[in-house]
Amino acid sequence: MDRKNGDRQGRDRSLFSQLRHKYEKRPWKETLKLVRRCMDKPIYAPESNKVALNCLERLSGALKVSSVSAVVSKLETIARERGLGSHLSPAGTECFLTSDMFYVEVLLSEEGVQDVKVAQHKETPMSCATLLNLLRLNKFKDFSMKLERLHSLYDIPADNETKVKVYTALQCLEKDLLKISNLPRSLSDHNPHVDTVLNGRTGKIIERKEGNPMSIEYYLCPNDLLKEKSHADQCTLGHVALVTAWTSSSPQRLPMSSLISQPPEIDAHGLPVFTTLGEDNSAILPASFVLKLSPPLPVTSSFVRRIEHLTGMAISESGLQWKPFLQLLLGTFLQENDCRESWEMGVAHFVMLPENRMHSYIVSGPTDGTAGLEGTLVLNVAFTHPAHVPKILELLRHQSALNALLTSCIPTQKPTQEYVLDLHCEVILQSDSNINISFVTDSDYLALLVVNLESCRKISCRVFPPMLADPSAEEHLSQVLTKCMSLPVTMRALCRRLRKKSTLTDSLEVTSTRPGASETPETSPPVSSEGNGLLPVPEEAGNISADASSAALP
């Protein structure tokens, strides 16, 4: 075996010696030109020749780009990798990367890349600053990935005529979504961005440009806002849906023109009245529209059924992978936050709070003897009509709010110092709209906080037994939870109120036993100056975001 290796090494040294002798008197530019010419030859390699292709890709990545010809060679290599055509203009100043539905035009000069334009079907070529900057910085890998994303917009296995019709339908959908988004409405939040995302009929829409599909930011929680402030260079860290089209196993009727009249007629729900689909304004095509969710969203089976009933289409034609919802949600949450720990039913999780305090939370499923809630990870939601979008987004917001409340009980960081454990809670997910939190008060009462999630904008809280709190306290807790979307922060607010109420009660009992004091049992405690009834307003109400960031939402 050693002898064979020695013979092989001897042959390799002899070969390299011959090559070195052959090209030692030739200029390096000529050798480089020969290498590029070999790389430019089209290769139709079978499975056994993948090594040769990988070698060419590595050579392409290693070659420095210092001339126009080098840029052209790089672009042609990228075109082959992405399944695009390429050709150079006679003057050598324009390189085109082409597909059936779009082309990219790269304008060149001796100084380098001057401009990059993207032209889509029946649209005027537009300069693309993102692609231009990538080429000027020699970031060809990122440029290639951008082209792949652009190409995926039209990745429908059909003839060109069908692709054109699907693309036309997608353009009509985008126009109608913008019309819905621009309908006048009253503001519900002092932050315009939050108001548009959570209260807008179509969330916050970012129009399609530079090869990126239209996107809709449909949900964000206080933790997302804090991340956006600390990552100002990023566009958004909320929940986003990309609007595009894909192949459907069964033909679907898609609009080929706008379905909203001008000026729009508004119905009782604040949505426009849509024109009925017919032969003159629609076409039956082997495709559907789709919302691609980023990040993928853990969704309960009931919400999956409601979405499918709304659209008349299956969320996934290839089938869905079902798991116990809590296992899916909390496992996905820990994985997204790069946590090595895993979630298990009945295991306590410790949430850090300000002032060196800590809560313990056990998250579990229904206690009525029924089977646990099932869930699945949803990546794509198919639909066929612009009227579906506002209703789909409202369901996704509801699910996202439920997920945010449950994951607020799961820490992503371990304590860095000693904390005082002052509350133990059991969180029970009764349904996709109801959460029960049981705990023991300082007075050794077994108490229950019932959370009813009507929507992401309306959350109500009830405390049992009723003697522990009053309607004004429950209303305050509802406001706290809606603003911070954190169960630990809300539980801290509740415990503080209960302690203050207990202190007031003890003080009244002491006063009533003094000589000359009133013995009437109906004597009422003083009303707080904040006007919130029996219980004074804790500091959480004025600093919700800060509490959320330092407590349950790390």
Side-chain angles (χ1 to χ4, degrees):
M1 191 68 168
D2 294 339
R3 183 176 179 181
K4 289 183 178 179
N5 290 335
D7 293 342
R8 183 181 301 169
Q9 292 176 2
R11 289 196 300 269
D12 290 343
R13 283 195 295 269
S14 176
L15 177 60
F16 279 111
S17 177
Q18 295 176 26
L19 288 172
R20 189 179 299 108
H21 178 72
K22 180 177 181 179
Y23 290 100
E24 63 181 354
K25 295 182 179 179
R26 297 187 182 183
W28 169 245
K29 287 185 178 181
E30 185 177 337
T31 304
L32 184 61
K33 186 177 180 180
L34 175 62
V35 173
R36 292 190 183 281
R37 187 163 64 247
C38 293
M39 293 174 60
D40 288 342
K41 291 181 180 179
I43 298 178
Y44 304 96
E47 224 30 56
S48 59
N49 284 342
K50 280 188 175 181
V51 175
L53 290 175
N54 291 336
C55 289
L56 289 179
E57 291 178 4
R58 293 178 63 183
L59 279 172
S60 176
L63 292 175
K64 294 183 179 180
V65 179
S66 57
S67 64
V68 174
S69 61
V71 174
V72 171
S73 178
K74 285 279 190 180
L75 294 175
E76 291 174 343
T77 301
I78 290 173
R80 286 196 300 271
E81 293 174 350
R82 298 305 177 194
L84 305 175
S86 64
H87 67 271
L88 190 65
S89 65
T93 57
E94 296 170 317
C95 183
F96 296 89
L97 310 181
T98 62
S99 75
D100 295 335
M101 295 297 297
F102 73 95
Y103 68 87
V104 176
E105 179 182 1
V106 181
L107 303 180
L108 303 166
S109 70
E110 291 299 328
E111 288 74 26
V113 179
Q114 299 301 310
D115 196 8
V116 178
K117 295 182 179 181
V118 177
Q120 295 166 328
H121 177 69
K122 293 183 179 179
E123 293 182 355
T124 304
M126 300 292 293
S127 294
C128 181
T130 302
L131 296 179
L132 175 62
N133 291 333
L134 290 177
L135 288 184
R136 285 182 171 176
L137 295 173
N138 290 337
K139 295 184 177 181
F140 293 98
K141 185 176 181 180
D142 294 338
F143 178 84
S144 177
M145 293 177 64
K146 285 284 186 181
L147 283 187
E148 182 182 21
R149 191 173 186 180
L150 178 62
H151 188 47
S152 67
L153 287 176
Y154 314 101
D155 189 17
I156 298 175
D159 55 76
N160 286 349
E161 182 180 355
T162 301
K163 287 183 178 181
V164 169
K165 289 182 178 180
V166 172
Y167 182 63
T168 301
L170 182 60
Q171 288 177 306
C172 295
L173 170 70
E174 293 173 348
K175 291 177 182 178
D176 279 350
L177 292 181
L178 285 172
K179 289 179 182 179
I180 299 173
S181 177
N182 292 329
L183 291 175
R185 62 180 181 84
S186 57
L187 297 179
S188 303
D189 194 286
H190 68 280
N191 186 321
H193 178 66
V194 174
D195 185 74
T196 302
V197 173
L198 297 183
N199 303 314
R201 299 175 182 88
T202 56
K204 181 174 179 57
I205 288 182
I206 300 176
E207 297 184 52
R208 174 171 49 86
K209 63 178 181 179
E210 297 188 349
N212 294 313
M214 171 183 279
S215 64
I216 299 175
E217 187 180 5
Y218 64 89
Y219 182 78
L220 74 170
C221 63
N223 198 32
D224 294 325
L225 288 174
L226 293 170
K227 287 181 180 179
E228 285 186 348
K229 290 180 181 179
S230 60
H231 298 80
D233 56 325
Q234 299 184 19
C235 296
T236 179
L237 290 170
H239 294 233
V240 176
L242 304 181
V243 182
T244 183
W246 69 359
T247 304
S248 174
S249 60
S250 58
Q252 305 293 332
R253 185 174 289 278
L254 302 181
M256 301 299 291
S257 63
S258 175
L259 302 180
I260 301 176
S261 60
Q262 286 293 0
E265 181 183 352
I266 307 301
D267 63 16
H269 302 286
L271 293 173
V273 177
F274 294 92
T275 305
T276 305
L277 289 176
E279 297 294 336
D280 58 334
N281 63 357
S282 65
I284 298 178
L285 300 168
S288 67
F289 303 129
V290 63
L291 296 176
K292 294 188 174 184
L293 306 186
S294 178
L297 186 67
V299 180
T300 62
S301 56
S302 60
F303 274 105
V304 169
R305 289 193 296 268
R306 290 166 68 178
I307 293 174
E308 292 180 338
H309 178 73
L310 169 65
T311 62
M313 300 187 67
I315 282 185
S316 175
E317 297 184 349
S318 59
L320 297 172
Q321 301 295 323
W322 296 99
K323 289 183 178 181
F325 176 69
L326 287 175
Q327 176 185 341
L328 173 69
L329 169 66
L330 302 179
T332 302
F333 173 75
L334 292 171
Q335 184 178 5
E336 289 177 348
N337 288 274
D338 297 325
C339 295
R340 296 181 180 179
E341 297 182 5
S342 60
W343 176 83
E344 295 181 10
M345 185 79 75
V347 175
H349 296 269
F350 300 94
V351 178
M352 298 174 288
L353 294 162
E355 302 173 0
N356 294 340
R357 296 290 176 175
M358 179 184 292
H359 289 182
S360 170
Y361 289 90
I362 294 177
V363 184
S364 57
T367 58
D368 56 2
T370 60
L373 293 173
E374 294 292 304
T376 187
L377 199 62
V378 173
L379 289 77
N380 304 299
V381 179
F383 65 100
T384 58
H385 197 285
H388 295 157
V389 175
K391 298 176 182 179
I392 293 173
L393 295 181
E394 193 60 26
L395 293 174
L396 295 179
R397 287 180 181 131
H398 190 139
Q399 181 69 69
S400 299
L402 175 66
N403 295 357
L405 292 177
L406 293 171
T407 55
S408 69
C409 301
I410 307 299
T412 58
Q413 296 177 348
K414 291 185 176 181
T416 56
Q417 55 187 359
E418 291 187 0
Y419 281 75
V420 178
L421 180 62
D422 58 355
L423 184 65
H424 176 76
C425 302
E426 183 174 4
V427 179
I428 303 173
L429 176 63
Q430 294 285 41
S431 70
D432 55 25
S433 296
N434 294 97
I435 302 173
N436 293 348
I437 303 100
S438 59
F439 64 102
V440 178
T441 68
D442 292 345
S443 303
D444 291 333
Y445 280 108
L446 178 62
L448 186 70
L449 176 67
V450 177
V451 176
N452 182 37
L453 180 64
E454 298 182 34
S455 72
C456 71
R457 297 173 297 276
K458 189 174 182 180
I459 305 175
S460 60
C461 295
R462 295 289 306 278
V463 179
F464 295 93
M467 68 181 71
L468 293 178
D470 60 275
S472 65
E474 293 178 341
E475 181 180 355
H476 173 68
L477 291 174
S478 301
Q479 294 174 354
V480 170
L481 185 56
T482 303
K483 289 182 179 179
C484 70
M485 296 302 295
S486 169
L487 292 178
V489 172
T490 305
M491 290 303 300
R492 184 176 66 161
L494 173 58
C495 290
R496 286 183 174 181
R497 277 189 169 253
L498 295 179
R499 291 189 188 107
K500 289 181 180 179
K501 182 178 181 180
S502 177
T503 302
L504 287 173
T505 303
D506 293 343
S507 177
L508 289 172
E509 290 178 352
V510 171
T511 303
S512 64
T513 60
R514 293 175 182 173
S518 173
E519 300 289 339
T520 307
E522 288 81 14
T523 302
S524 300
V527 177
S528 67
S529 60
E530 290 84 357
N532 280 330
L534 299 177
L535 303 178
V537 178
E539 60 190 56
E540 279 87 355
N543 193 23
I544 297 301
S545 297
D547 284 346
S549 65
S550 59
L553 297 174

